[in-house]
Amino acid sequence: MTPSIFSIQHFCLQDGPGIRSMIFFKGCPLRCTWCQNPESWYAGPEVAFKSHLCIGCNLCMDNCPEQAIFRPGHRDPSRCTRCFSCVDHCPSRALEGFGKSYSIASIRDILRPEYPFYRDSGGGITFSGGEPSLYMNFIERLSGVLKEDGISITLETCGDFDPGIFYKRKKMPIGVIDDMPEPTNLCRPGFLKDVDLVLFDIKLVDDLRHRQFCGKGNTRIQTNLSNLATLAKIGGGPRVWPRMPVIPNITDTVDNLSGWADYLLKSGVFYLTLVPYHNLGSLKRIWLNITDGPVIPALKTEELEKTVQILTDYGISCFSPGEEDWQLSDR
Amino acid sequence: MEAISLRDGIPQKMAEKIYPMFQPFNEPTERIACIRADIQKTPYSICLERPLLIRQFRNSLNGKKAKSEHPLIRRAMMLSHILSNRVPRIYDNEFIIGNMTSKRVAANYYPEGGSVNIMEDLFRLKKRQVPIHLSFKETVQLGVIGVCTALSSVGGKALLRPGRVSHFLDFFRARRYFITEEAGIGHQVGNYRDVVENGLCRADHIAKACLDTGKLADGTFLSADQEAFFTSVRITIDGIKTMANHLSNAAEKEALKPGTDKIRKKELLNAANALRHVPYNPSRTFLEGLQACWLVHVAMNMEDFEQGMSFGRLDQILYPLYRKGIDDGSLAPETAVEMLASFQLKTCETMPIYSERIDQYFSGNGVAQGITIGGTDMLGNDVTNELSGLVLDAYSQIKTREPALHVRVHSGMPAWFLKKAVETVQLGCGKPSFFGDRAVVNALQEAGMSEAHARDYAVIGCVEMASQGRTYNSSDACLFNLPLCLELALNQGYSFMGNTVFKKRIGAATPPADAMIIFDNVVKAFKLQVAHAVDEMAKIISWLEKCYRIERPTPVNSILTEGCLEKGMDVTWGGGLYDLTSIQAAGLADTGDSLFALKKLVFDDGRFTLSDLAGILKNNFKGYEPLRQELVNRFPRYGNGHPDVDRMTQLAADVFSDAIRSHRNTRGGRYVPGIYSMTCHIGFGRQTGALPNGRLAGERLSNGLSPIDGSERNGPTAVLRSAAFLNSRKWSNCCALNIKFDKKTVQGKAGNQALSSMLRTYFDQGGMQVQVNVLDADMLREAKKDPSLYPGLVVRVAGYCAYFNDLQTDVQDEIIERTVHGIK
């Protein structure tokens, strides 16, 4: 599948060590109610409309090959082919297209001028989304190319991918001994071959609640997390660092926190980044004409402090994004 | 996968070994907090002591006698009169003694020029946005002084003459250029090393020997002018000595006052002793070194005017005395920090006088007394020392508008020092600013300096350049409106703005738009307009220079500048070893973006003819809003790492640099360009019509080397890439690049590492200068609404810092609006 990418950003300081550039892949298997990037849900291209920027010049109408626009901001989705002609003609950036495909070479060209900043700061590239693991082949090839340039790679994932890939083995020529370390028979998934760090997003530990708030169960996610943690421990995979969004009354309940704390400790992970909830995403929903999700109150400082306290009591070190101690070694 | 790179880790440990007292002293001691509070709560005022003393001198017997003397001697006698008759004032708690004005915080009044503009606000001093407190009597006195001296100022003498009226009007309107040299030259990094190591007595002895023998050191007989020069040096030094003595007496008197605290008494008596010794004699202790620098600095301020009087590389100059004190146990590091903090607080006693009209060009009440720290010696070896760190520690205790702090960045810079400098930046006061040694040294060599001298550079004021103690740089001679020249090039030398019937051509008569058929024609017309404006400007400056020789020579400055005593010449006569006049461009990014947009629209894509485009611009994009939006939003802009636009920006900079560099001043020195704009981009913007990059008529221009506000879409690293892409070799007066961060984005240890890395990479790529503002937009919005909320909030405006409340409303708006790089 050719991936669509909705944004490439430089100078990101909160998603892995050092100064990083982020590549946001479009498409996500989950639908978390609090999601702040609704433009990342669908894998296909989408057109967003920011009414406050529209100057009413009608250039979008005039240039639509399908005559799908009858008034600026009013588009017939059934006729729209997402050719982005309107986006390209909009002078004021009121129309924004999400989801373009890039070749590996062009991504490299965009990133290359930033290399010196990564190198000096110990930073690199972070794949995010959406869900980058939807495009395993592309990630594998892209990270291979970037690795050749000596760039460190981080991947952020919601963890919802096929756990089977931990068991798929390449056919070995006869006589070559499989070097997979014992005692497990896990193998490193191909798309994580050149990835140095996985930021693993966890949300709700309870399967039913996960279905309720994220639209899908979490069995695969939990399996993948413990598999990755095991791989990392035996040195057969990238480092895993969990992150959890702190959503008032949803993820910061005592049950959820203690459930995750147990699970993480059992998997041998004793650190966690807490991402405080903000509601900047609601504006993006309006631009994309998505009926607004449930209103979630802003996170209070006390609530965050309480969350930290509960997790710390379990022996989990909590960090805010960008302030992680990446040198922390596993027990 | 480790955040700490080798570069961060290893030198850090070494540094801790080499510098055992690596611990920061960030908390102000009680006495420093007291001095700071005193200064902060004092309302601004104007000190009339200097003009009154001048009048007293003119009416005195001596003054009448002076009229028949050589201009140099006349000036020295007057200066000496001012210095020796100022009333000494000792303030509580201070380590460093020597009042800058007769009030705690005030502006000196310079009847010679630079101050008369306050007359515009005379009847509403208290109602100004930044009120000035004067008693009724003082207001009347100010009015009388202003009226009586307005025509005798240097600017008046040079410009209010038959045949020069149109130039005067041109100067007054400040459209193509704003000639700041009219106010005074100021802007100097004197040879404070000499003051500390040898005292003023060295200059005094040289002058005496030359006068006694009637010869220069090399055996040449003295001319009448040279004789007058040496006499002026001796008279001036005598004045400084008297001032020091008066202060010494006052300190003694204060000490012997009944009820003075025992410790304070001892301190004051010590100070009295020191003041009898320095600055005439070599300094013996660290405190004496600071005291000597301060008194000479006061004398410099009394002499010319207040702008850009800088101290140079204090960490280098004072280090031997500091080391001596630490080694013999007479000085503790924490005391040294306290002394440095007290010294830095002294710089807050002064401010400039700007009327509200002038304020739009130089908002912020800064005079930029620069201290340069870090860097290399003449061979290029790193010479960062503990004192470099302590200067930053002292500043982080006080967080005030002055002084201006400058850190030199080079490849051999220890990691601990960069970390500490970034920590100071993270405090949110916009200080220090950073200078890349490689680019700066190259540019200074391009201006004719030897490599060794270029390596000993220090920053004048905000960003301007000098080899310390060797350079006479009229470094803020003039600010230049570069985009206006493009506007004139498209309209045969006429402005797009204003009256259409009775229009006067303000530029050169370049061909009409429809006669320009290739892009090179436009570039040529633009070059002609720039050259024309620079010619006119240089003509006015030459008149001023001639006046300065007679009316306003500067003996103190000459004592502090290498070359003068050797040649027997005042700096205004061309005595300095290196002599420069520097012109600054505003709106560079606007010009580059406009050239790019114009070329693409007209010559590459053929969407409009050039005369159509000129018509659209003349009508300020009326009826062409979609086009304007497209230009603003969809055209590549400088500051995004886009090589094609960056090349156009380079072209604009080169046209400007070449026009400037083709001139010589009347002292035989070179003209050099700089790329910074103070807040002139706002004042100039109001006078500039619509531009092909979609900027509307009257909007502010881009600031210094920074991209246009809001046009940087690829983050701060792309801005730095674009800036480092430009060839800065010709910019011998440096440049100012502003980047701002949301406080949240760059907080803590990770923020420190990211900023440090970003700076190192920028300077590795050949960057010249950058200043980093760490601010919180909400905080600023609140501060704008209610000025009493954050009285001490410091922001960096352009090359200098100011209290946010001192800024004009639209400058405040700009600071809030400026891209705050945060999370998307």
Side-chain angles (χ1 to χ4, degrees), chain B residues 186-391:
Chain B
H187 295 89
Q188 176 63 307
V189 188
N191 197 345
Y192 286 95
R193 192 189 294 270
D194 187 50
V195 171
V196 169
E197 283 176 9
N198 304 313
L200 294 176
C201 61
R202 189 187 76 96
D204 199 29
H205 292 162
I206 293 175
K208 184 166 185 293
C210 290
L211 286 171
D212 285 352
T213 57
K215 285 178 191 169
L216 286 179
D218 65 1
T220 328
F221 281 101
L222 295 184
S223 68
D225 290 337
Q226 285 167 324
E227 232 175 73
F229 169 71
F230 286 118
T231 317
S232 77
V233 166
R234 298 214 63 194
I235 297 174
T236 314
I237 292 181
D238 205 50
I240 299 176
K241 243 166 103 179
T242 318
M243 176 172 76
N245 271 331
H246 287 173
L247 282 164
S248 167
N249 293 341
E252 211 167 68
K253 214 168 124 196
E254 182 83 14
L256 300 177
K257 236 191 228 168
T260 310
D261 176 72
K262 233 182 192 170
I263 303 166
R264 182 68 182 153
K265 184 175 170 185
K266 205 178 147 206
E267 256 177 33
L268 283 166
L269 287 177
N270 268 342
N273 258 334
L275 284 163
R276 287 201 206 291
H277 189 75
V278 294
Y280 190 73
N281 297 302
S283 312
R284 296 162 299 189
T285 63
F286 182 66
L287 185 61
E288 278 187 4
L290 282 172
Q291 186 68 65
C293 291
W294 180 250
L295 277 197
V296 174
H297 178 69
V298 171
M300 289 282 275
N301 271 270
M302 287 295 118
E303 172 182 71
D304 194 1
F305 89 140
E306 75 286 321
Q307 286 293 333
M309 292 299 182
S310 302
F311 298 100
R313 307 175 65 185
L314 274 190
D315 60 336
Q316 303 308 313
I317 295 167
L318 295 172
Y319 188 64
L321 293 173
Y322 168 81
R323 194 72 261 165
K324 200 178 120 209
I326 295 284
D327 290 347
D328 64 19
S330 60
L331 183 70
E334 49 271 37
T335 324
V337 176
E338 224 178 355
M339 289 169 178
L340 282 167
S342 171
F343 181 84
Q344 295 186 17
L345 278 168
K346 287 302 273 182
T347 62
C348 304
E349 285 178 15
T350 187
M351 57 175 268
I353 302 184
Y354 291 139
S355 70
E356 291 205 312
R357 179 181 69 85
I358 303 288
D359 210 42
Q360 61 181 331
Y361 293 87
F362 309 99
S363 197
N365 284 324
V367 301
Q369 299 155 80
I371 297 176
T372 308
I373 45 179
T376 67
D377 61 9
M378 291 199 188
L379 296 171
N381 303 312
D382 175 59
V383 286
T384 312
N385 55 43
E386 292 123 272
L387 210 44
S388 323
L390 295 188
V391 170

Side-chain angles (χ1 to χ4, degrees), chain A residues 115-268:
Chain A
Y115 283 2
F117 293 99
Y118 313 151
R119 290 196 177 119
D120 192 284
S121 64
I125 315 268
T126 300
F127 300 137
S128 181
E131 177 50 43
S133 70
L134 290 178
Y135 311 102
M136 287 186 183
N137 289 335
F138 187 82
I139 297 274
E140 188 171 344
R141 278 183 294 137
L142 180 58
S143 39
V145 167
L146 294 173
K147 204 81 218 174
E148 273 172 28
D149 294 345
I151 300 301
S152 141
I153 295 164
T154 297
L155 181 130
E156 196 191 342
T157 178
C158 69
D160 190 57
F161 51 85
D162 175 17
I165 55 162
F166 285 102
Y167 303 98
K168 276 178 202 152
R169 301 234 177 150
K170 277 181 192 150
K171 270 191 186 161
M172 293 291 171
I174 298 164
V176 174
I177 301 159
D178 194 334
D179 60 351
M180 202 35 69
E182 289 300 322
T184 75
N185 59 348
L186 294 175
C187 72
R188 185 174 186 149
F191 79 108
L192 296 178
K193 183 172 55 93
D194 292 309
V195 171
D196 303 279
L197 169 71
V198 172
L199 297 173
F200 200 106
D201 292 343
I202 56 175
K203 283 120 190 169
L204 290 155
V205 75
D206 179 69
D207 190 63
L208 281 177
R209 274 173 68 78
H210 201 277
R211 278 172 204 279
Q212 183 192 343
F213 286 106
C214 303
K216 221 174 174 185
N218 68 1
T219 339
R220 301 211 297 179
I221 297 176
Q222 294 194 359
T223 317
N224 287 335
L225 176 58
S226 51
N227 277 349
L228 275 171
T230 317
L231 264 183
K233 203 165 234 173
I234 57 176
R239 169 134 214 220
V240 186
W241 191 291
R243 306 212 295 183
M244 184 168 82
V246 186
I247 319 290
N249 303 326
I250 300 179
T251 63
D252 69 348
T253 59
V254 179
D255 286 352
N256 192 44
L257 295 176
S258 47
W260 275 122
D262 282 338
Y263 193 88
L264 290 176
L265 291 174
K266 204 173 72 198
S267 312

